[in-house]
Amino acid sequence: MSKDNPRLLAVKTLNKISNGSYSNLQLNQVIEHSDLDSRDISLLTNIVYGVIQHRLTLEYYLNSFLKNPKKVNSWVKELLYTSIYQMYYLNKIPERAIFNESIKIAKKLGHDGIRRMVTGTLHQIQRNGLPSFNEIKDPMRKLSIEYSVSPWIIEELNQQVGNQKTISILESINKPSKQSVRFNSKLIDKSVLSNELQSEGYGVKNSSLAKSGLILTDKSASYSDLFKTGKMTIQDESAMLPVESMDIKPHYQILDACSAPGGKTTQIAEKLDSNQGGHVFALDLHEKRLKQVEKNAKRLGVSDVLSTEACDARKIDSLYKDEQFDQILIDAPCSGIGLIRRKPEIRYEKQLSDVNHLSNIQLDILNSVAPKLKSGGKLVYSTCTILNQENIDVIDKFLSLNSDFELVTTKTLLDLKNNDKYLKIYPDDYESDGFFVYNLIKK
């Protein structure tokens, strides 16, 4: 068996992730150091993210076939998870191929006893089928296992949006994520980009959520020369909305208080003109992460209107004078619960205590940054979480402490219908990331 076999690499990658490695970094590293073609990269990526996404479900399935799960090596469990995932979630792979490959991996990574154990378990699953969720008596645990989401997230969503909406969100987050890109208005027209992508073999359609967005299918956007030359960048549709709500003029001085990795920063920069004095000041806590902002700005051709500064947004008094900026964006650090379709490990790693801690940081950032906005200027607050504690609760507290600010209706370029002044996008609304966006005006 080749060391670059995608199923073998998936098992090794999942084992490292289960021991604390970040999924995206670990997967990217494996792909960079292997000799995989695009088809094998697709299979590897599908298996890794699919197993993470359905981990609680797969654990429940597998444990019913193991006498003592705690004594089974972690990599063996990962191997069996990948086997079950391929058998029951990927329809196009023959069962015979899954069995053969899994047994070869067991033999390569272990000894003959493990090979026999893996072979016997797979045949047992084949004969008996998987256990039903109806055997789980506790309703909350049943939902948690069925949709592979930590119980506390389900409980919070139930309280905040009701059971029906919660189920809809849970069903949505286990569907494949769409691939969306933002066209670079500095370098290309959207319709021209769409035509060029189609000529490269991509399926292309307009986003129904963000005017700046296109949805691509058939292959990775990062393979395209249009990406490499900065005519487009990869960004979720929902993540484009905070900047689309800003109404930026070419001469504006804008602060992006929490900028890395720079998707929204460069989106702002596209609208600015250095000859008219336009500039975006990008802050982030970590110098290393700002390197990525600068790299993205260079690729997209907007470095002339963008500068970076490593700084905690809660401590910016020494950097800028009061009422310096025409507009401010605070894309606040958050729990990321709205991203769990694309970053599935979030559903297991985050705790309610994290949410409460982050809400305090978010309020501190708002209070620190607010004085730097000009009178009549707009402050945009956004998060990629869908929990009230980090959204409307934070804004309500901020407004109670800052009577010179008021909440105004958030309007996007596509004028999305919304019953509230703020914009709330749940993962099931548009099959995108979950996002909340608030527009505040300084009176």
Side-chain angles (χ1 to χ4, degrees):
M1 172 175 279
S2 167
K3 64 181 179 62
D4 288 333
N5 180 287
R7 291 180 176 86
L8 174 63
L9 292 174
V11 173
K12 290 181 174 180
T13 302
L14 285 163
N15 196 43
K16 289 182 179 178
I17 293 169
S18 69
N19 289 318
S21 297
Y22 290 109
S23 62
N24 58 332
L25 299 179
Q26 188 60 45
L27 186 59
N28 289 341
Q29 185 179 358
V30 169
I31 292 171
E32 286 174 10
H33 291 86
S34 63
D35 189 25
L36 298 173
D37 60 27
S38 59
R39 188 174 176 181
D40 283 343
I41 289 173
S42 177
L43 178 60
L44 167 64
T45 304
N46 191 334
I47 292 173
V48 169
Y49 280 119
V51 169
I52 298 171
Q53 193 172 56
H54 298 280
R55 181 166 294 279
L56 297 183
T57 310
L58 294 169
E59 284 179 357
Y60 172 74
Y61 287 153
L62 181 59
N63 285 349
S64 66
F65 296 97
L66 300 178
K67 291 181 179 178
N68 195 338
K70 291 182 179 180
K71 289 188 176 182
V72 178
N73 288 337
S74 61
W75 72 264
V76 178
K77 288 183 183 178
E78 299 300 336
L79 170 58
L80 289 166
Y81 294 153
T82 66
S83 305
I84 298 171
Y85 175 73
Q86 292 173 82
M87 289 165 67
Y88 290 93
Y89 292 94
L90 301 183
N91 299 326
K92 294 182 180 180
I93 301 179
E95 204 167 78
R96 182 184 69 259
I98 298 169
F99 276 43
N100 289 341
E101 291 286 304
S102 299
I103 293 166
K104 286 178 184 177
I105 293 169
K107 187 176 180 180
K108 183 176 181 65
L109 297 182
H111 49 72
D112 200 53
I114 290 177
R115 180 191 61 78
R116 288 197 301 270
M117 176 263 187
V118 168
T119 304
T121 303
L122 290 177
H123 284 298
Q124 194 179 356
I125 292 170
Q126 185 183 48
R127 286 194 304 270
N128 300 334
L130 299 175
S132 169
F133 299 123
N134 292 330
E135 297 175 19
I136 306 171
K137 301 306 179 187
D138 178 72
M140 190 58 63
R141 182 171 178 267
K142 181 181 178 183
L143 285 176
S144 174
I145 297 298
E146 184 174 358
Y147 294 105
S148 199
V149 175
S150 294
W152 76 266
I153 297 176
I154 301 173
E155 290 172 0
E156 287 298 314
L157 287 174
N158 262 331
Q159 291 175 14
Q160 295 180 20
V161 300
N163 182 256
Q164 186 174 349
K165 181 66 173 177
T166 297
I167 297 297
S168 179
I169 292 170
L170 294 175
E171 289 175 345
S172 167
I173 60 174
N174 285 333
K175 295 176 182 177
S177 57
K178 291 183 287 186
Q179 180 179 217
S180 61
V181 298
R182 189 188 83 237
F183 83 100
N184 183 354
S185 58
K186 281 270 190 185
L187 301 180
I188 196 167
D189 181 78
K190 186 180 180 181
S191 60
V192 174
L193 175 64
S194 179
N195 290 335
E196 290 190 15
L197 283 166
Q198 289 178 61
S199 69
E200 288 187 0
Y202 289 91
V204 185
K205 67 176 184 178
N206 284 324
S207 166
S208 60
L209 183 54
K211 191 171 182 180
S212 309
L214 292 170
I215 307 301
L216 307 188
T217 56
D218 300 326
K219 52 184 175 178
S220 172
S222 61
Y223 296 157
S224 172
D225 286 337
L226 296 162
F227 171 79
K228 295 168 185 173
T229 56
K231 293 178 180 177
M232 66 177 183
T233 194
I234 298 167
Q235 188 177 19
D236 189 79
E237 302 163 273
S238 294
M240 302 176 200
L241 297 178
V243 176
E244 287 199 356
S245 77
M246 291 179 73
D247 187 26
I248 297 167
K249 301 293 189 290
H251 65 278
Y252 274 3
Q253 298 274 299
I254 297 177
L255 175 66
D256 186 352
C258 310
S259 66
K264 299 174 189 65
T265 317
T266 55
Q267 190 178 0
I268 292 169
E270 284 177 29
K271 313 296 182 186
L272 302 175
D273 184 348
S274 60
N275 294 323
Q276 299 185 47
H279 200 84
V280 56
F281 298 80
L283 301 187
D284 200 82
L285 187 58
H286 303 289
E287 182 77 46
K288 186 176 180 181
R289 298 189 73 212
L290 286 171
K291 297 296 182 186
Q292 188 63 45
V293 178
E294 293 166 358
K295 183 180 178 182
N296 285 331
K298 184 177 181 180
R299 180 174 59 84
L300 295 166
V302 294
S303 297
D304 62 323
V305 293
L306 186 153
S307 57
T308 62
E309 184 78 40
C311 177
D312 186 332
R314 294 170 291 181
K315 302 173 183 178
I316 68 167
D317 259 342
S318 61
L319 284 180
Y320 309 112
K321 63 181 184 290
D322 288 354
E323 301 206 0
Q324 178 172 340
F325 298 105
D326 297 286
Q327 293 197 2
I328 293 175
L329 171 64
I330 301 175
D331 186 48
C334 69
S335 61
I337 301 300
L339 306 179
I340 53 180
R341 179 190 286 109
R342 281 194 303 112
K343 297 182 177 180
E345 63 264 44
I346 288 173
R347 62 180 82 191
Y348 317 118
E349 294 174 352
K350 297 297 181 181
Q351 304 296 326
L352 185 57
S353 58
D354 297 321
V355 171
N356 295 329
H357 173 66
L358 285 161
S359 67
N360 292 326
I361 293 175
Q362 292 154 359
L363 182 59
D364 287 344
I365 291 173
L366 276 163
N367 285 327
S368 173
V369 168
K372 309 306 173 186
L373 185 66
K374 292 178 180 178
S375 295
K378 181 185 284 188
L379 189 158
V380 175
Y381 175 85
S382 64
T383 75
C384 54
T385 186
I386 53 177
L387 298 179
N388 291 341
Q389 293 95 318
E390 299 175 81
N391 290 308
I392 193 61
D393 292 355
V394 172
I395 294 300
D396 284 347
K397 289 175 185 175
F398 172 75
L399 291 173
S400 71
L401 298 169
N402 297 271
S403 59
D404 55 336
F405 279 82
E406 65 176 332
L407 184 66
V408 296
T409 301
T410 297
K411 295 181 179 179
T412 63
L413 297 179
L414 291 182
D415 197 21
L416 303 171
K417 301 302 178 185
N418 201 48
N419 294 326
D420 300 292
K421 281 191 170 183
Y422 54 91
L423 183 64
K424 52 184 179 180
I425 305 292
Y426 289 101
D428 61 321
D429 292 338
Y430 296 89
E431 304 298 334
S432 68
D433 289 346
F435 242 87
F436 272 54
V437 185
Y438 301 79
N439 283 192
L440 303 164
I441 295 293
K442 192 172 188 179
K443 290 186 270 188

